[in-house]
Amino acid sequence: MQTHQYEAVIVGAGGAGLMAALYASRGARTAVLSKLYPTRSHTGTAQGGIGAALGNLDEDHPEWHAFDTVKGSDYLADQDAALLLAQDAVSAVIELEHLGLPFDRTPDGRIAQRRFGGHTSNFGGQPVRRACHAADRTGHMILQTLYQQCIKNNVMFFDEYHVVDLIRNGDTVAGVVAVNIDSGELHIFHSKAVLFATGGWGRVWEITSNAHTLTGDGNVITFRRGVPMQDMEFFQFHPTGIYKMGILITEGVRGEGGVLLNDRGERFMERYAPSIKDLASRDVISRAIYLEIQAGRGIKGKRYVHLDVTPETVNRYFAEAGESRRITREDIEAKLPDILDFCRTYLGVDPVREPMPIQPTAHYGMGGIPTDLDGRVILDAQRTPVPGLYAAGECACVSVHGANRLGTNSLTDLIVFGRRAGRHMAEYCQGAQFVPLPSNPAGEVEAELERLRHASGTSKPYQLRAEMQAVMMNHVGVFRTGEGIQTAIDTVRRLKEQYRNNLGIDDRGSRFNTDLLEAWELGCLLDIAEVTAVSALARQESRGGHSREDFPKRDDEHWLVHTLAYGTADDDIRLNHEKKVDMCLAEKDPRFKPKERVY
Ligand SMILES: Cc1cc2nc3c(=O)[nH]c(=O)nc-3n(C[C@H](O)[C@H](O)[C@H](O)COP(=O)(O)OP(=O)(O)OC[C@H]3O[C@@H](n4cnc5c(N)ncnc54)[C@H](O)[C@@H]3O)c2cc1C
C-alpha cells in the first residue's frame, strides 16, 4: 500500500476545495484529492451568480446582504457568520476578478450584477441587483479560474482518488485513506491537517438538481469517526427544476423578469409574496408551487407549473409594474444561454417562445459538518475543535444558511470560508508536527470494501437507492408530518439492514470498479437519509426548508437552536440541541431580531 506525505490534504476540488488549497499552499505542502477530475466538480454547474454587495448597479451594503441572509435563513443562521460572509464577499469577488474570472460587465466596465430571490435593499425593501455573474456559467468560471491558480501555486492533484476514510491518532488528524479509481489500490495520505470539501448530498432524493456524485461522502466519513452532523433536517428544494428531471433552471431567469404561472395563467406568487413575488425566498416559492398543485392548479392538473420568460409575458408584467425596462429575445439568448440549451435539448421547449414546465427539485443541504468561522471542525455546543480537521463549502455548516439558503450565497460561502479555512490550515501546519500513523490505518475500510466487492445477495444498490429516494421525496421533502417522517425512518432502517445483510454487486474486479464505489456511496446516502429524517422528526416546528404540517408555526421560544446528530456505538443516532444560534449578543440585542418572515 502506497503512503504519501503532505502537510495539508484537501478532499474535494470544487470551489471550496480549490480556494482552500490555494490559500493552504501558500504556507504548507498541499495535495488535493478528488473522485472527479477537478473541473468536473459540481461547482461547475452553478449558474446564476455569486452574491456580493458591490453596489455596481444599485445602492447596496454588506449589512443589507447580511440581513437578507439571516431573514432568508428563517433566523437560524449564526449572525456572526452571516455578517462575516457579507463583509468578506466584496473582497472575495474582487479577488476572483483579479485572479482572472471573466465576469460580465456593465457598460462602464464594472462587474455586472442581477436580481435574485430574497436580495433586497434597506433591510427587506425592494429587489436589489447583487448577484455577480458570468452569463449563466458563473460556477464554471470559478472552477476554471481557481484550478489554474492552484496549478500555478504547485498544488499537487490526485485526480480520481476516492477518499473512503479519515485517519485519526487519538484526537488528532493524521490523514485519509483513498481508493485510486483506476487501479483499485488503496493509498494512505499522511498529513498534519485534512479539509473536507466534498459538496452536497441531493442524491438522497428522487428529483434533484444534483449530479450522481453528490452522495455526502465527507459528512459520513467524519460522522463515522465521531464528528456530528449539524442541522441536517434543513434541505432546500429549489422551486424551478425541469419537470420530472430535476435539472435546475436558475433563479437568474426570474431575476431577468421571468414569472411563475399556474394552469389558469395566474401569476400566483402575487398571493404568497405580494411584495417581491417571484423573487421571494426559495422555501416560500417551493411551498407555494406545492400548494397550487395540491389545489388542482398544476398545469393540466399535473404536478408542475410554468416558468415564463418569453419577452411578451415579461414585458407585459414590467409595463403593469410601471417599470421602464424591456427585454428582447436577444437579451435572453445572451444572458441565459445554458438554460435555453438545456430546455431545447432535454425538453424540446424553446423558452424564448414558450413557458418551461417546472417543479421543485432537491437542491442544497443547509446542514453539514459543524465548523467555526475558520473552517475548524467542531465537536459540540462548546465549539471544541478537532485538531487538524477542517471543512468548507456545501458539506460544511458554519452556519451561515440556517434553515434556508439565499440564492448565490453558496458560491460566496465557498470563496469566503474556503479562503479562511485554507489560511488557517497553512498557519496550523506551520506550528504542528506529523502525528504517527496508527498501525494498519486502512484496515477497517479495506475490510468493508472487500465485503462489498464480494457481496452476493439479491438486493442491488440501484433498487435500495430508488426506494430510499422515493420515501425521502414523499415524506422528508417540501412538506412533512411526524407520521410520514417515521415511515421514512423505518424504511431507511430496513434498507440499511438489507445493505448490510443482503446486498449484491456484480463487478468483483479492481480497475474502475464503479459498481463497488457506488455501493460504498449508497452506504453514505443511507446514513445521511437516516440522520436527516431523525433530525426532522425531533424538530417540532416549521422553519425554512423544514415545513411540518403538524407543527406549522415557527417556534422561536424552543427552537432557536442547532441540531447536532451523533452516531452511537450501537448504530443509533443521538441528538443534542444545546448549541444556540449566534445572535451577535455582544451587542446586547440580536443584531437582526427574529420577526415574521414576509416577502
Ligand atoms: C445546478 C446548480 C446550480 C447552482 N447555482 C448556484 C448559483 O448560481 N449560485 C450559488 O451560490 N450556488 C449555486 N448552486 C450551489 C453551489 O453550486 C454548490 O453548493 C457549490 O458549488 C458546492 O461547492 P463545493 O466546493 O462545496 O462542492 P462541489 O463543487 O460539489 O465539489 C465537491 C468535490 O468533492 C469531491 N469529492 C466528493 N466526495 C469525494 C470523495 N469521497 N473522495 C474524493 N473526492 C470527493 C468531488 O470530486 C468534487 O471535486 C448551484 C447548484 C446546482 C446543483
Side-chain angles (χ1 to χ4, degrees):
M1 200 173 296
Q2 215 177 319
T3 300
H4 313 257
Q5 202 178 59
Y6 288 88
E7 289 176 296
V9 161
I10 288 172
V11 186
L18 293 181
M19 193 67 182
L22 187 58
Y23 270 82
S25 67
R26 293 177 181 165
R29 242 166 57 77
T30 303
V32 173
L33 279 61
S34 175
K35 67 180 179 181
L36 299 172
Y37 185 75
T39 51
R40 292 185 65 85
S41 302
H42 213 57
T43 296
T45 66
Q47 301 164 352
I50 173 166
L54 302 183
N56 284 352
L57 287 158
D58 298 319
E59 183 188 348
D60 201 5
H61 302 279
E63 187 93 353
W64 293 355
H65 183 184
F67 170 79
D68 289 338
T69 302
V70 171
K71 179 180 174 188
S73 82
D74 223 345
Y75 296 92
L76 196 84
D78 284 334
Q79 297 193 12
D80 55 347
L83 282 158
L84 187 64
L85 176 98
Q87 275 152 11
D88 278 14
V90 175
S91 67
V93 165
I94 290 170
E95 181 173 357
L96 288 176
E97 181 192 35
H98 292 181
L99 292 175
L101 199 148
F103 282 111
D104 289 348
R105 299 279 157 185
T106 62
D108 61 353
R110 288 177 294 166
I111 294 173
Q113 298 185 276
R114 59 163 64 117
R115 292 177 178 177
F116 238 75
H119 295 193
T120 65
S121 63
N122 207 12
F123 308 104
Q126 292 306 303
V128 70
R129 283 174 281 187
R130 185 181 294 146
C132 313
H133 54 89
D136 53 1
R137 302 183 184 119
T138 314
H140 172 86
M141 299 305 183
I142 289 178
L143 267 189
Q144 301 291 335
T145 304
L146 292 178
Y147 184 51
Q148 288 166 17
Q149 291 292 332
C150 283
I151 297 283
K152 183 175 151 202
N153 245 39
N154 296 322
V155 171
M156 187 68 195
F157 281 89
F158 290 85
D159 302 337
E160 299 184 336
Y161 275 66
H162 196 135
V163 172
V164 284
D165 206 359
L166 169 70
I167 309 170
R168 288 176 75 176
N169 186 337
D171 284 344
T172 308
V173 160
V176 295
V177 185
V179 180
N180 173 348
I181 300 176
D182 180 1
S183 67
E185 287 163 0
L186 285 175
H187 288 237
I188 306 286
F189 288 82
H190 186 197
S191 68
K192 294 179 180 176
V194 172
L195 179 139
F196 281 90
T198 48
W201 51 94
R203 283 282 147 185
V204 164
W205 288 268
E206 192 173 17
I207 302 288
T208 177
S209 63
N210 286 197
H212 291 275
T213 53
L214 290 178
T215 48
D217 304 3
N219 305 52
V220 175
I221 290 170
T222 48
F223 181 72
R224 290 175 183 165
R225 293 288 167 201
V227 173
M229 291 194 223
Q230 182 173 318
D231 293 342
M232 295 297 286
E233 61 271 39
F234 299 105
F235 199 87
Q236 179 172 81
F237 279 69
H238 192 294
T240 57
I242 292 180
Y243 178 48
K244 286 191 176 167
M245 286 182 246
I247 298 171
L248 194 81
I249 304 291
T250 174
E251 209 160 303
V253 170
R254 283 170 283 133
E256 298 299 340
V259 291
L260 292 160
L261 303 173
N262 64 17
D263 195 45
R264 297 180 188 162
E266 293 165 337
R267 188 183 185 186
F268 56 86
M269 284 312 300
E270 285 175 343
R271 273 184 278 122
Y272 298 93
S275 177
I276 58 173
K277 306 181 181 77
D278 306 85
L279 286 173
S281 215
R282 291 175 178 175
D283 56 332
V284 174
I285 301 188
S286 288
R287 281 196 292 276
I289 294 173
Y290 261 70
L291 291 172
E292 288 298 301
I293 290 170
Q294 267 171 18
R297 294 191 289 270
I299 307 296
K300 296 182 199 143
K302 296 196 178 150
R303 303 194 63 74
Y304 69 91
V305 295
H306 275 149
L307 172 60
D308 193 339
V309 74
T310 57
E312 299 70 34
T313 304
V314 171
N315 290 335
R316 180 158 51 83
Y317 282 109
F318 281 163
E320 270 180 27
E323 286 197 42
S324 58
R325 65 180 174 142
R326 298 289 178 269
I327 59 164
T328 63
R329 285 183 184 171
E330 291 70 34
D331 292 333
I332 302 170
E333 299 273 359
K335 289 183 175 168
L336 302 164
D338 275 4
I339 293 304
L340 300 191
D341 196 30
F342 293 154
C343 288
R344 288 168 182 159
T345 306
Y346 298 117
L347 284 174
V349 164
D350 187 353
V352 297
R353 294 195 165 77
E354 54 196 321
M356 298 165 257
I358 58 96
Q359 71 178 134
T361 182
H363 184 57
Y364 183 88
M366 270 74 71
I369 308 169
T371 72
D372 67 10
L373 298 177
D374 288 313
R376 293 188 300 175
V377 172
I378 54 174
L379 279 178
D380 48 34
Q382 293 69 44
R383 298 173 183 256
T384 312
V386 183
L389 189 58
Y390 295 79
E394 190 170 339
C395 75
C397 181
V398 52
S399 136
V400 82
H401 310 300
N404 173 63
R405 172 173 73 80
L406 207 64
T408 76
N409 262 358
S410 172
L411 294 182
T412 315
D413 175 4
L414 310 183
I415 304 305
V416 166
F417 290 104
R419 179 166 74 172
R420 291 181 68 90
R423 195 183 279 147
H424 200 280
M425 240 182 144
E427 280 166 20
Y428 176 84
C429 288
Q430 281 167 8
Q433 304 297 320
F434 282 96
V435 295
L437 288 169
S439 67
N440 196 13
E444 266 182 55
V445 76
E446 188 173 23
E448 172 64 0
L449 288 170
E450 284 315 297
R451 177 187 81 78
L452 292 174
R453 190 193 310 278
H454 298 289
S456 54
T458 54
S459 302
K460 297 292 180 196
Y462 73 87
Q463 294 167 327
L464 302 186
R465 189 169 48 233
E467 206 180 329
M468 170 198 67
Q469 289 171 334
V471 80
M472 291 297 285
M473 193 78 197
N474 290 336
H475 295 300
V476 199
V478 171
F479 283 108
R480 304 157 175 197
T481 62
E483 202 184 332
I485 298 171
Q486 189 59 56
T487 304
I489 294 173
D490 296 343
T491 308
V492 169
R493 288 190 171 149
R494 174 174 53 72
L495 295 171
K496 282 182 77 169
E497 195 60 35
Q498 282 173 255
Y499 180 83
R500 271 192 296 266
N501 299 322
N502 190 31
L503 190 73
I505 75 165
D506 299 316
D507 186 349
R508 317 242 178 263
S510 300
R511 300 201 64 182
F512 273 99
N513 191 342
T514 50
D515 202 15
L516 170 68
L517 289 171
E518 280 176 22
W520 182 85
E521 287 172 338
L522 173 62
C524 294
L525 289 171
L526 287 166
D527 280 1
I528 291 217
E530 187 185 10
V531 171
T532 303
V534 168
S535 304
L537 186 62
R539 186 173 284 269
Q540 298 187 337
E541 65 156 355
S542 289
R543 184 185 297 273
H546 172 69
S547 189
R548 292 276 302 251
E549 289 179 86
D550 42 356
F551 296 97
K553 291 251 176 299
R554 195 177 81 194
D555 176 358
D556 289 341
E557 199 187 326
H558 300 102
W559 288 105
L560 268 177
V561 292
H562 297 291
T563 305
L564 292 176
Y566 297 82
T568 65
D570 55 353
D571 197 26
D572 206 349
I573 291 162
R574 174 173 65 83
L575 298 182
N576 176 300
H577 291 109
E578 286 167 15
K579 190 163 180 257
K580 294 207 166 49
V581 173
D582 184 290
M583 291 278 178
C584 285
L585 283 172
E587 299 169 33
K588 240 165 110 201
D589 280 332
R591 182 66 160 257
F592 303 119
K593 211 176 166 89
K595 51 185 180 186
E596 200 193 343
R597 209 161 138 250
V598 282
Y599 284 99

